[in-house]
Amino acid sequence: MKAAGPGRSLRFRLFLLAASGLLPLAIVALVVLAYVTSERERDARDTALAVSRALATAVDAELGATVSVLQSLALSDELAPAQLRQFHALARRVAEAQGWRAIILADAGGRILLSSSDEPEASGQAPVDIASMQQAIQGREPVVGNVARGPRGVAAFAVRLRVERSGQLTYVLSAVIPTEHILAVLMRQQVPATSVVSVFDRNLLRVARSRPHAGERPAPSLQALLEKGEPEGTGNTTTLEGFRSHTGYARLQHWGWVVATGISAEDASAGLYGVLGAVGAGLLASLGLAAFLAWYFARDVTEPIDALKVAAGALGRGEPVRLPHLDVAELQDVGAALALASTDRDRAAQERRAGEAERETLLARATQALQQAEEAGRSKDEFLAMLGHELRNPLAPMATALHLMARKGDPGTLREREVMERQVTHMKRLVDDLLDVSRITGKRLEMRMQPLRLADLVRHAAQAAQPVLGLRRLELQLPDAADALWVNADEVRLSQVLNNLIGNAIKFTGTEGRITLALATAGDAAEITVSDDGVGMPPEVLEHVFDLFYQAPQGADRSRGGLGLGLAIVRSLIEMHGGQVSASSAGADGGSTFTVRLPLAPPPPQAAAAAGVAATEAVQGRVLLVDDNQDAADTAAALLELSGYEVQVAYDPGVALSLLDRFAPDVAVLDIGLPGMSGYELAARVRVHPNGRNCYLVALTGYGTAADITRARAAGFRQHLVKPAAPDALLEAIRHGLRENTDRRAP
């Protein structure tokens, strides 16, 4: 066995221990310095932006004052064809008082009639800045032109104002202002000497700069920042003199000019180098102290270690172990361990560790059980919501595809379509029932109560049941006074109650049976009755018919299926409306009767005038459809295109945002569960995009809880459709959005 080389000394190890304790301090110091540097730079950019905003306000005010002076001149009595010589004298006095180069009067065609800097007879010249002159002639608002050099080589810009008489353009009045005028505005704001402030026109030609330079355009880095086209922003740039700067800029909203302020990066970092030097010196001093302390305290450890060496040799030889008193507590423990029998100590330590491990295990199990009990409710709700979402995603394209097939009218697939439509409807009803039970038991079901005419609801329920009756007969009984029965209710939930009761009657009635749907008055309540001549219910079934998950005994084939949720949901919904529901039956093969009682409410004002009014024509428009389920997106798009809409489809939120650059939708239908970016985030990005600012947002998602609807409303969605949305519901949402946009744009 090869002998080990000499080990490192205790002094060296103590030094490394002390030095390693300084390492986290050094790392923290570096992180803090980096953070402070970053904050200094951010603060400098924010300061530059604030200065630019203030200066932009000052420049905007100066240009506004110029427009005000021109407006006063436009109203003067001297501005008449017969008094242009008097107006020339007035214009010369005003230009001299304002420090302008000249005041120019041009006719409606842009030809100069007079200039305060020339003799009154001088006329017929073309303007230097033709573009701004044409803009003033064609537009209605005052115009601030770009920087240009006149015949004398002096840089100036024009502020132009239309002068109208009797609603007709008569003159264009212009003030030619030297760029030094804007520089004076900057200097009055006391710009810091270490900062560089520049004002540029809309073509990024320099109007004024606080530090003189021959260049007329911004530095390349500043030009790249300004060409982003944002109203304001910040960034790091390099000045024309080659100095690094933290820059902020702000645009003048009305004139298109931009004010940029650059703060020297060297000034922003002033003081950091001193802090860095102080931190470095402190670390070096701490390292030197660690070396001294390691050398000093090593002596107190080496002498007890020598004594332990002697005791260890005596223990190996079987001799009594005698140790002097050791000043170091840890070494004294080592000496005690050499003197005692280690076997009993090891056994006791092992038993103790086993007991502690057992206690920790029991505690962990108890804690886990408590957490599982607390999360059971949340897990159930999250599971049901996710289950509903995952089940609805494939149902949506299936339902839309069936609707498209029906509209195309292929008679060869009629029977297969009917089978698929029934099964898709059945699957959707099962998913809705599961989620409704979760909301009801958790007391989270949101009710939207409003005045409702029961006769309209009953007629609609009877009409909706026609496609699934087969050879069965549905008799509708409405007395003459039925139209006067109003209740305060949630129309969607009461429709769900009637659909469940009628569907239950169809399920348990023979293929040629009879079902009766009746509406009547019962004292101060309205009474809706659904009767059938089907299989009926024995007393033991009738007793539990409204219990959750209860199902009457069925054959092995379970031909009537279901989850036992429909009638339990009916009872809960009716009770939430302040009503009652009951069931009766004459027994097996005696048919069944379900009776719903709801408290009556007074009819709303102008109910008769509002009845029967419906939109008969679809408002055509542009629709953006975003869904990562390609089948759902494509079938929905085909439905909308078949209905006459212009549709753009995106399966990814990034693609949707790129479409907005060339497509301005009237309505956007967005899925919530998108990859990489949720539908809520996409909605916010659409609303700030120029082509999406007035877009009507519709959420189409598999998540349908009250919290999901509330969150969608808060994110800007105007409607919330739960997958699979019926084609008619989707089309109605599109039409509603287009009508609302049309009404908002109407004068």
Side-chain angles (χ1 to χ4, degrees):
M1 187 175 183
K2 185 177 180 180
R8 294 186 176 90
S9 67
L10 180 61
R11 290 186 177 88
F12 181 74
R13 293 181 181 275
L14 289 175
F15 171 74
L16 289 181
L17 179 63
S20 62
L22 297 176
L23 181 60
L25 179 61
I27 294 175
V28 170
L30 292 177
V31 170
V32 170
L33 285 173
Y35 174 77
V36 171
T37 301
S38 175
E39 287 297 300
R40 283 282 189 93
E41 291 182 357
R42 185 177 64 83
D43 290 344
R45 289 194 295 268
D46 290 346
T47 300
L49 177 58
V51 172
S52 294
R53 288 172 178 166
L55 293 175
T57 301
V59 173
D60 186 68
E62 184 67 22
L63 296 176
T66 301
V67 172
S68 298
V69 173
L70 291 179
Q71 289 173 339
S72 299
L73 286 174
L75 298 176
S76 64
D77 296 336
E78 289 83 351
L79 189 57
Q83 300 182 15
L84 291 184
R85 179 175 293 275
Q86 289 85 343
F87 180 77
H88 180 274
L90 174 61
R92 174 168 292 183
R93 289 195 303 272
V94 172
E96 292 175 354
Q98 296 293 330
W100 299 344
R101 294 289 302 170
I103 294 178
I104 295 175
L105 183 66
D107 60 16
R111 186 174 63 89
I112 295 177
L113 299 177
L114 64 82
S115 171
S116 66
S117 63
D118 297 328
E119 293 302 322
E121 294 78 9
S123 62
Q125 301 178 6
V128 174
D129 186 1
I130 299 177
S132 64
M133 178 64 76
Q134 291 300 319
Q135 185 179 356
I137 292 172
Q138 297 171 4
R140 291 287 181 181
E141 299 296 328
V143 175
V144 175
N146 296 319
V147 174
R149 294 190 180 275
R152 298 171 183 159
V154 178
F157 63 92
V159 178
R160 305 190 190 275
L161 177 72
R162 292 167 56 93
V163 180
E164 297 182 356
R165 295 290 188 269
S166 300
Q168 298 294 324
L169 175 64
T170 305
Y171 301 112
V172 175
L173 190 59
S174 305
V176 180
I177 304 173
T179 56
E180 289 80 1
H181 202 75
I182 300 301
L183 179 60
V185 174
L186 298 183
M187 293 299 100
R188 286 199 299 269
Q189 307 305 315
Q190 298 181 353
V191 177
T194 57
S195 301
V196 178
V197 180
S198 300
V199 180
F200 301 97
D201 63 17
R202 59 170 53 88
N203 290 336
L204 294 185
L205 287 174
R206 190 183 73 203
V207 179
R209 192 172 191 264
S210 62
R211 188 176 296 178
H213 194 276
E216 294 184 349
R217 285 198 166 272
S221 56
L222 177 57
Q223 182 163 346
L225 182 63
L226 298 180
E227 287 178 347
K228 293 180 179 180
E230 299 294 334
E232 60 181 31
T234 61
N236 294 328
T237 63
T238 301
T239 66
L240 293 171
E241 292 83 3
F243 300 117
R244 289 194 315 109
S245 298
H246 303 301
T247 301
Y249 70 90
R251 296 185 186 276
L252 277 66
Q253 180 180 1
H254 297 294
W255 318 118
W257 286 16
V258 62
V259 178
T261 302
I263 296 178
S264 171
E266 183 177 353
D267 292 343
S269 302
L272 287 178
Y273 299 113
V275 174
L276 182 62
V279 171
L283 290 175
L284 290 176
S286 299
L287 193 62
L289 180 61
F292 172 76
L293 293 177
W295 172 82
Y296 181 80
F297 287 109
R299 296 180 305 170
D300 296 335
V301 179
T302 54
E303 292 179 0
I305 288 177
D306 292 337
L308 287 176
K309 289 179 181 178
V310 175
L315 181 62
R317 295 189 299 269
E319 298 174 357
V321 176
R322 296 182 178 88
L323 285 171
H325 177 73
L326 304 177
D327 291 335
V328 181
E330 289 79 1
L331 296 181
Q332 192 168 345
D333 291 340
V334 174
L338 292 174
L340 298 175
S342 61
T343 303
D344 293 341
R345 180 181 297 176
D346 291 343
R347 186 182 301 113
Q350 185 177 3
E351 292 175 356
R352 185 171 61 254
R353 287 193 297 271
E356 291 176 353
E358 184 177 359
R359 286 195 300 272
E360 291 177 357
T361 301
L362 292 175
L363 179 60
R365 290 177 181 175
T367 303
Q368 184 179 9
L370 179 61
Q371 292 176 347
Q372 290 175 349
E374 292 175 347
E375 295 176 359
R378 291 195 301 270
S379 299
K380 179 197 70 175
D381 293 342
E382 293 173 359
F383 170 76
L384 288 177
M386 182 58 67
L387 176 64
H389 178 265
E390 294 301 325
L391 291 176
R392 282 170 170 156
N393 262 337
L395 287 176
M398 293 169 61
T400 307
L402 288 171
H403 185 82
L404 288 172
M405 293 169 64
R407 292 189 65 166
K408 292 179 180 177
D410 181 8
T413 61
L414 176 61
R415 182 177 179 183
E416 291 80 358
R417 289 202 314 270
E418 291 176 346
V419 172
M420 293 175 67
E421 287 172 354
R422 287 195 298 271
Q423 298 307 315
V424 168
T425 302
H426 178 64
M427 187 65 181
K428 181 179 181 296
R429 186 164 56 249
L430 292 178
V431 173
D432 290 340
D433 286 350
L434 276 173
L435 296 179
D436 283 344
V437 165
S438 174
R439 298 188 193 107
I440 292 172
T441 56
K443 301 185 184 302
R444 298 183 309 278
L445 186 65
E446 179 182 1
M447 304 293 288
R448 299 181 180 177
M449 312 298 278
Q450 59 185 4
L452 176 65
R453 191 199 306 269
L454 277 181
D456 296 338
L457 182 72
V458 171
R459 291 190 188 98
H460 185 270
Q463 182 181 4
Q466 294 299 324
V468 294
L469 285 174
L471 298 177
R472 303 176 186 86
R473 289 174 297 156
L474 175 60
E475 180 181 350
L476 181 61
Q477 297 180 356
L478 292 176
D480 295 337
D483 286 330
L485 299 181
W486 288 79
V487 294
N488 191 33
D490 185 321
E491 181 177 1
V492 174
R493 294 303 176 184
L494 278 191
S495 296
Q496 182 179 357
V497 167
L498 292 185
N499 291 338
N500 278 357
L501 292 178
I502 295 174
N504 195 67
I506 293 173
K507 184 189 301 184
F508 292 99
T509 302
T511 57
E512 298 185 5
R514 188 181 70 176
I515 301 170
T516 301
L517 176 60
L519 173 63
T521 306
D524 59 350
E527 194 169 84
I528 303 174
T529 304
V530 180
S531 305
D532 64 70
D533 58 0
V535 299
M537 294 179 286
E540 62 272 16
V541 173
L542 192 62
E543 182 180 357
H544 300 285
V545 70
F546 291 108
D547 292 349
L548 189 62
F549 296 115
Y550 177 77
Q551 294 178 316
Q554 301 183 41
D557 60 348
R558 287 187 55 81
S559 59
R560 295 185 177 95
L563 300 175
L565 301 176
L567 293 179
I569 293 174
V570 166
R571 181 174 65 178
S572 298
L573 291 177
I574 292 302
E575 290 176 351
M576 293 173 71
H577 282 82
Q580 299 174 343
V581 61
S582 60
S584 61
S585 176
D589 298 323
S592 302
T593 299
F594 289 85
T595 302
V596 174
R597 290 174 60 90
L598 294 168
L600 289 172
Q606 301 177 347
V613 177
T616 59
E617 296 184 359
V619 181
Q620 302 304 306
R622 297 178 297 277
V623 180
L624 173 63
L625 184 60
V626 185
D627 195 335
D628 61 328
N629 186 326
Q630 297 190 16
D631 290 337
D634 293 342
T635 52
L639 171 65
L640 296 178
E641 290 174 347
L642 190 62
S643 301
Y645 298 109
E646 180 184 353
V647 184
Q648 289 289 331
V649 181
Y651 312 124
D652 179 87
V655 175
L657 291 175
S658 65
L659 284 176
L660 285 178
D661 294 334
R662 61 179 186 277
F663 182 70
D666 300 302
V667 179
V669 182
L670 309 181
D671 186 17
I672 297 301
L674 294 172
M677 180 190 302
S678 72
Y680 304 121
E681 299 175 74
L682 179 58
R685 299 279 292 274
V686 169
R687 292 175 66 190
V688 300
H689 195 284
N691 283 343
R693 187 174 295 112
N694 297 320
C695 184
Y696 185 92
L697 298 180
V698 178
L700 180 61
T701 173
Y703 300 103
T705 66
D708 296 323
I709 296 174
T710 301
R711 186 177 180 189
R713 295 285 184 184
F717 287 100
R718 306 299 299 277
Q719 291 202 46
H720 185 280
L721 301 180
V722 179
K723 294 181 179 179
D728 291 339
L730 178 60
L731 291 172
E732 177 57 29
I734 300 298
R735 287 193 292 267
H736 183 79
L738 292 173
R739 286 195 298 268
E740 184 169 314
N741 281 346
T742 301
D743 294 342
R744 186 172 61 249
R745 288 192 295 263

